[in-house]
Structure formats: C-alpha cells, structure tokens
Amino acid sequence: MRFMMLLKADKITEAGVLPTHKDLEDMGKYNEELVKAGVLIDGAGLQPSSKGARVTFPGGKPQVTDGPFAETKEQLGGFWIIEATDLDAALACAAKGSAACMSPVEVRPFQEEPA
C-alpha cells in the first residue's frame, strides 16, 4: 500500500527560514533509511504558503487566493510517499521521521483500487 506522510509547517517554516545544517543532516539520514529499506517513493520539502496560491470554486467559478494562508497549523512543510505493508508499518516509518525532524507527521493511505 502507498501512504503519504505529511510534515506540518510551523511559524518558522512559514516565515521561510531554512532548516539548519544539523536538521538537514538528520533528515538526510532518515531519507537514506527509507531508501535502504526500499520504501521511499518520493519526498520533498515545500516552500512557505506565501509562495503559493489556493484555488477555490465559489459559485462554480475558479477563484485564486495568493498565500500566505491564515492557519499555519493547516499548512504543509513537506511530504514523503512510501510503500508499506500496512498502516502499522507506515506509522513506524512516520515515528522515525517525526523524531528526525522534531515535528508531527500525519500518515494517510492513498485511495487505491483493491487488488
């Protein structure tokens, strides 16, 4: 099964402050663990919401709102897409990622057709 592990943004990342050298080193080690375990499909950090936009459809017509967006706790700072046997295995990966970046990691399974 594929899972997305979502790394939440915080006030520091939303301010555009880049991770420290040590933070990048810790994340690099974690990413290498995922590669060696053969579970990493993709992953990346995201720029602050001030660099993005949101598209909504009020009244059925697209409306673009430039960032930043109000609630930092709702913003994403990055993601990993992994392949895991089940939710428990994905949560084990997320626990290591959360420790590596000292931030909560949300785990969500992809919506997939049954085999």
Side-chain angles (χ1 to χ4, degrees), residues 1 5-6 16 26 30 40 42 61 68-69 75-76 82 90 98 103-104:
M1 296 179 71
M5 300 190 311
L6 305 166
D26 291 345
Y30 172 65
L40 183 63
D42 198 2
K61 298 193 183 233
F69 308 116
Q75 303 310 320
L76 294 177
I82 62 167
S98 184
S103 181

Side-chain angles (χ1 to χ4, degrees), residues 1-8 30 34 39-44 46 76-84 86-87 89-91 93-95 104-112:
M1 296 179 71
R2 289 180 306 152
F3 291 86
M4 182 172 277
M5 300 190 311
L6 305 166
L7 182 61
K8 299 298 185 155
Y30 172 65
L34 294 176
V39 299
L40 183 63
I41 296 171
D42 198 2
L46 299 173
L76 294 177
F79 70 94
W80 296 272
I81 299 174
I82 62 167
E83 182 75 31
D86 57 25
L87 180 59
L91 291 173
C93 288
V105 175
E106 181 178 332
V107 178
R108 307 265 304 271
F110 274 71
Q111 190 78 284
E112 296 180 328

Side-chain angles (χ1 to χ4, degrees), residues 23-38:
D23 291 340
L24 291 173
E25 195 174 87
D26 291 345
M27 287 287 248
K29 288 177 185 176
Y30 172 65
N31 290 338
E32 277 301 310
E33 282 183 40
L34 294 176
V35 169
K36 286 179 184 175

